[in-house]
């Protein structure tokens, strides 16, 4: 490697370390030169070709023990110690995969890299949740990596029909799960491992990997996700193929049938195309011939689809803890055990969905990609028919069709980013409780209450509730109270049927359901595009037609990769991208000599947005919301606009010259250290004695030393200082009579034995 290269070998893992590079106008000009060197033949340009890069198939931001803020005590005192969870990135190639970690220092560290054929899906399994009655059978082998390869461990199974679990500690395969049909995706949390098939879902216990339950009533989607699901910390949402009235929750999608001019023109064009297609089919049937490229099987499939009883756009949410073992069947004859919610979300098939961090908000999209719906799920202990599903927002992307491939929330659930296969990431502002995003709600570093102090003192909250109840709630027939720029046909159908009308379904006397929040239609404040070609970097300012917002997009990548590298899904210019929110890591790239404490002194309103594309370039975008510049007067209710700018980039794509980085790993490997820390914390929560390895988060090094009587002067002084800095909250009696005390400070909670 050159001396000025951003890459260097890692002393800890043996992999590669990539330093962040500042994104400037000069770096964009360098990307133009690189593009010309790749396109123009070497004989004409006279310059050597750039190094070859491997083909990327998919990219993903992963959640594992390494960035688990709830169970890794290293991150429990984030604001006091300066520790931040790292970003964990997985890159799938046409030959193998790669795992990267980007800590708060900003230097990307390669953790894993193999080349053993195409991999369709891969997950780093988090440490499971166990207790005295439930043990982890693979505790000594963790962390585990689950992969779905083209060729399984047996070698005789069909392609992509098995899930192999490998130990990153020992390097051996500890489990292989076989299927008869191809696997399309893998999801996991600390409770279950979910294997997604075309029209089925199979869930396995995370401690034993025995089958826990399975679903066979999924509605298939044409792509990019063949069977979209959303897995939270406990709930699992999937697309149901039928709407069962006895299990239907109160609420769901709502709106009206108001169309914009653009939507009307596009709808008329589609209607004309459909009419011409039907005329052509009639002529074909009369003449007895088929057009070129059309087979009799295609005609039979379309005719059968018209007679199919399946209903698209239905969402079912189940509780993975309370659902029974075996098949999960939502029918008129089945009970509602484990079913959290069952409601209509779209008219078209559901394409993608995602939960927020708390699991209370669910974002769904359909195959058209015009509108994204944000639902708030309020459960009922009796049955799913008593649960409430509030349609808080309709996020309008545009009138053209686009396939959604990725959805992510910010950690405070005030921002949603939806990425399409066109390579565009749409940034929307929302509130966890609904309502119009404004200066008061999104110009503060913290989440604010729904009603301001002035609104509460003036009694405006009671007036709003009274007007809402008199006008019929959010689906009021009064014009102007709710409007959708997209004019989805589902909106008109839902309003015309009493079973879908929220005001008719909901009980006004139920405090869980009334008053219903008003449905808001929002436009994106920013649209960040990936530079597919040399001339696709755009910039636009000013408000949109149906809402306030602006965005500014610059060249996000320093080095533009060769044009021959493209994702496997890129048919017709489609790009695979993934996005996530996180603390800024561009301080080192912009000011190498500046200490992080000084650079991070001021508190930002919005976290940085990280976007990785199929070119292997990770870009950090700074997001700056501000009041609408065209507003005559700035107040708490002033609409927002946003400016985005790239700050740093990391080139993570692998070249054929890179060495592989395979397990078994050393004991100081970040993935192994994180697994040990999480397992140690899990033992403490279960009231069990941790294994012989010391935990990194205790002062005396083990559970026995904490429970023993330390009478030294140093221990007494440290104990006195601890009690002065923390406040006692309560005592908890866990399994086998072990008692713990909870101590709290301003930013974290500590669980200590009774002695403390």
């Amino acid at each position: 490697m050159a001396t000025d290269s951003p890459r260097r070998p890692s002393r800890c893992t043996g992999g590669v370390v990539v330093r962040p590079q500042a994104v400037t106008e000069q770096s964009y000009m360098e990307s133009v030169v690189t593009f010309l060197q790749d396109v123009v033949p070497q004989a004409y340009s006279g310059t050597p070709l750039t190094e070859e890069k491997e083909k990327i198939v998919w990219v993903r931001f992963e959640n594992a023990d390494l960035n688990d803020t709830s169970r890794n005590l290293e991150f429990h005192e984030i604001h006091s110690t300066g520790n931040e969870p790292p970003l964990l990135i997985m890159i799938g190639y046409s030959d193998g995969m790669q795992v990267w970690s980007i800590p708060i220092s900003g230097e990307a560290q390669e953790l894993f890299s193999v080349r053993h054929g195409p991999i369709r899906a891969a997950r780093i399994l988090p440490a499971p949740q166990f207790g005295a009655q439930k043990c982890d059978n693979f505790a000594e082998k963790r962390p585990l990596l689950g992969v779905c390869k083209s060729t399984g461990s047996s070698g005789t199974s069909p392609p992509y029909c098995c899930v192999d679990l490998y130990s990153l500690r020992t390097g051996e395969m500890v489990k292989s799960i076989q299927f008869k049909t191809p696997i399309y995706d893998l999801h996991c949390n600390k409770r279950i491992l979910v294997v997604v098939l075309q029209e089925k879902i199979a869930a396995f216990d995370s401690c034993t990997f025995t089958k826990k339950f399975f679903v066979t009533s999924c509605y298939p989607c044409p792509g990019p996700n063949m069977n979209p699901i959303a897995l939270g910390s406990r709930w699992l949402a999937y697309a149901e193929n039928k709407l069962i009235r006895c299990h239907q929750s109160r609420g769901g999608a709502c709106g009206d049938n108001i169309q914009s001019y653009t939507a009307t023109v596009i709808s008329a064009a589609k209607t004309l195309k459909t009419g011409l297609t039907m005329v052509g089919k009639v002529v074909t049937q009369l003449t007895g011939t088929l057009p070129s490229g059309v087979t009799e099987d295609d005609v039979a499939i379309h005719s059968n689809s018209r007679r199919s009883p399946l209903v698209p756009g239905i969402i079912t949410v189940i509780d993975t803890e309370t659902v029974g073992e075996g098949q999960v069947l939502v029918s008129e004859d089945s009970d509602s055990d484990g079913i959290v919610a069952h409601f209509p979300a779209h008219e078209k098939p559901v394409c993608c969905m995602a939960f927020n961090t708390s699991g209370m908000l669910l974002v769904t999209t359909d195959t058209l990609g015009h509108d994204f719906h944000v639902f708030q799920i309020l459960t009922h202990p009796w049955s799913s028919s008593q649960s409430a599903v509030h349609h808080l927002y309709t996020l309008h992307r545009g009138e053209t069709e686009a396939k959604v491939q990725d959805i992510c929330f910010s950690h405070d659930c005030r921002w949603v980013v939806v990425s399409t296969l066109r390579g565009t990431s749409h940034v929307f502002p929302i509130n966890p409780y609904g309502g119009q995003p404004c200066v008061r709600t999104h110009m503060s570093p913290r989440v604010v209450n729904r009603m301001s102090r002035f609104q509460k003192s003036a009694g405006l909250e009671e007036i709003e509730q009274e007007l809402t109840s008199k006008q019929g709630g959010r689906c009021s027939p009064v014009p102007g109270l709710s409007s959708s720029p997209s004019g989805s046909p589902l909106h008109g159908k839902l309003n015309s049927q009493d079973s879908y009308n929220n005001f008719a379904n909901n009980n006004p006397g139920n405090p869980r359901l009334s008053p219903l929040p008003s449905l808001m239609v929002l436009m994106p404040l920013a649209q960040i595009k990936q530079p597919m070609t040399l001339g696709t970097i755009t910039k636009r300012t000013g408000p949109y037609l149906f809402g306030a917002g602006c965005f500014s997009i610059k060249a996000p990548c320093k080095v533009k990769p060769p044009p021959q590298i493209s994702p496997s899904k890129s048919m017709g210019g489609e790009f695979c991208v993934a996005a996530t929110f996180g603390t800024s890591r561009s301080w080192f790239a912009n000011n190498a000599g500046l200490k992080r404490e000084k650079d991070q002194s001021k508190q930002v309103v919005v976290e940085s947005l990280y976007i990785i594309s199929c070119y292997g370039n990770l870009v950090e975008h700074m997001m700056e919301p501000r009041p609408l510049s065209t507003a005559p007067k700035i107040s708490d209710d002033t609409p927002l606009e946003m400016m985005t700018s790239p700050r740093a980039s990391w080139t993570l794509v692998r070249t054929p010259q890179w060495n592989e980085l395979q397990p078994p790993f050393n004991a100081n490997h970040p993935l192994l250290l994180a697994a040990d820390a999480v397992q140690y914390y899990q033992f403490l929560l279960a009231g069990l004695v941790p294994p012989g390895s010391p935990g990194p988060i205790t002062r005396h090094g083990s559970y026995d030393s904490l429970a023993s009587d330390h009478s030294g002067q140093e221990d007494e002084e440290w104990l006195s200082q601890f009690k002065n800095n923390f406040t006692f909250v309560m005592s908890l009696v866990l399994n086998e009579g072990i008692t713990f005390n909870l101590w709290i400070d301003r930013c974290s909670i500590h669980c200590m034995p009774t002695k403390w």
Side-chain angles (χ1 to χ4, degrees), residues 628-747:
L628 185 63
S629 57
T630 57
K633 181 180 179 181
I634 298 178
S635 63
D636 287 347
D637 299 330
T638 302
L640 298 169
E641 65 181 17
M642 173 176 286
M643 297 297 295
T644 65
S645 59
R647 288 283 299 273
S649 64
W650 294 260
T651 303
L652 306 179
V653 61
R654 189 173 61 184
T655 62
Q657 291 74 27
W658 284 21
N659 296 326
E660 298 185 23
L661 185 60
Q662 300 188 34
F665 296 134
N666 297 327
N668 61 346
H669 193 277
L671 292 177
L672 272 63
L673 292 176
D676 293 339
V678 172
Q679 289 188 33
Y680 186 90
Y681 181 75
Q682 197 67 46
F683 272 102
L684 291 180
L685 289 182
L688 303 175
V689 178
S693 59
I697 46 82
T698 61
R699 181 175 180 269
H700 297 286
S702 67
Y703 175 85
D704 296 332
S705 61
L706 279 176
S708 60
D709 185 13
H710 295 275
S711 57
Q713 181 179 0
E714 180 184 356
D715 298 329
E716 295 297 336
E717 293 178 357
W718 191 87
L719 178 59
S720 176
Q721 183 181 3
F722 177 85
K723 292 183 177 180
N724 292 334
N725 295 333
F726 294 86
T727 303
F728 174 76
V729 180
M730 65 172 62
S731 296
L732 296 178
V733 180
L734 302 180
N735 297 334
E736 300 181 0
I738 300 178
T739 305
F740 283 87
N741 292 338
L742 290 183
W743 298 80
I744 187 172
D745 63 355
R746 291 179 298 176
C747 58

Side-chain angles (χ1 to χ4, degrees), residues 103 160 220 317 451 527 568 589 596 617 668 688:
Y160 305 109
V317 182
M451 306 293 292
Q527 293 177 329
S568 63
R596 178 180 174 269
N617 292 323
N668 61 346
L688 303 175

Side-chain angles (χ1 to χ4, degrees), residues 198-217:
Q198 183 172 1
E199 297 183 8
K200 300 178 182 179
I201 300 173
F204 298 84
D205 185 80
S206 59
C207 290
T208 61
F209 296 110
T210 58
K211 183 176 290 187
K212 190 173 182 180
F213 63 87
F214 60 95
V215 181
T216 59
S217 57

Side-chain angles (χ1 to χ4, degrees), residues 373-400:
H373 294 171
V374 181
F375 299 100
Q376 183 184 24
I377 302 176
L378 302 178
T379 62
H380 194 280
W382 186 6
S383 65
S384 61
S385 60
Q386 299 298 321
S387 300
V389 180
H390 294 173
H391 189 182
L392 300 182
Y393 296 100
T394 293
L395 311 178
H396 184 66
R397 182 196 63 85
E399 306 299 346
T400 58

Side-chain angles (χ1 to χ4, degrees), residues 69-116:
T69 57
S70 62
R71 298 189 296 170
N72 195 333
L73 294 184
E74 182 182 355
F75 308 124
H76 277 200
E77 301 180 12
I78 289 179
H79 300 289
S80 59
T81 63
N83 294 330
E84 295 282 351
L87 299 178
L88 194 59
I89 303 172
M90 303 183 70
I91 302 177
Y93 296 91
S94 58
D95 185 12
M97 61 170 292
Q98 198 177 26
V99 179
W100 291 88
S101 172
I102 304 181
I104 193 61
S105 62
E107 292 188 342
Q109 184 178 7
E110 186 186 25
L111 302 182
F112 179 83
S113 179
V114 294
R115 295 183 180 92
H116 47 52

Side-chain angles (χ1 to χ4, degrees), residues 32-153:
V32 175
V33 175
T34 305
F35 176 82
L36 294 177
Q37 291 177 354
D38 294 331
V39 174
V40 180
Q42 185 177 1
Y44 292 94
S45 61
T47 58
L49 294 174
T50 58
E51 59 178 348
E52 183 183 0
K53 299 179 177 65
E54 297 187 21
K55 179 180 178 181
I56 294 180
V57 178
W58 51 266
V59 291
R60 172 183 294 152
F61 287 96
E62 184 74 350
N63 294 321
D65 296 337
L66 188 62
N67 49 11
D68 189 350
T69 57
S70 62
R71 298 189 296 170
N72 195 333
L73 294 184
E74 182 182 355
F75 308 124
H76 277 200
E77 301 180 12
I78 289 179
H79 300 289
S80 59
T81 63
N83 294 330
E84 295 282 351
L87 299 178
L88 194 59
I89 303 172
M90 303 183 70
I91 302 177
Y93 296 91
S94 58
D95 185 12
M97 61 170 292
Q98 198 177 26
V99 179
W100 291 88
S101 172
I102 304 181
I104 193 61
S105 62
E107 292 188 342
Q109 184 178 7
E110 186 186 25
L111 302 182
F112 179 83
S113 179
V114 294
R115 295 183 180 92
H116 47 52
I119 295 178
R120 175 170 291 180
R123 292 284 184 176
I124 299 178
L125 276 60
Q129 183 179 11
F130 57 87
Q133 306 297 331
K134 185 178 181 181
C135 299
D136 182 12
N137 297 347
F138 301 89
E140 298 179 355
K141 305 294 184 180
R142 296 188 185 273
L144 301 180
L145 175 67
V147 296
C148 175
K149 301 184 297 184
S150 58
T151 57
S153 57

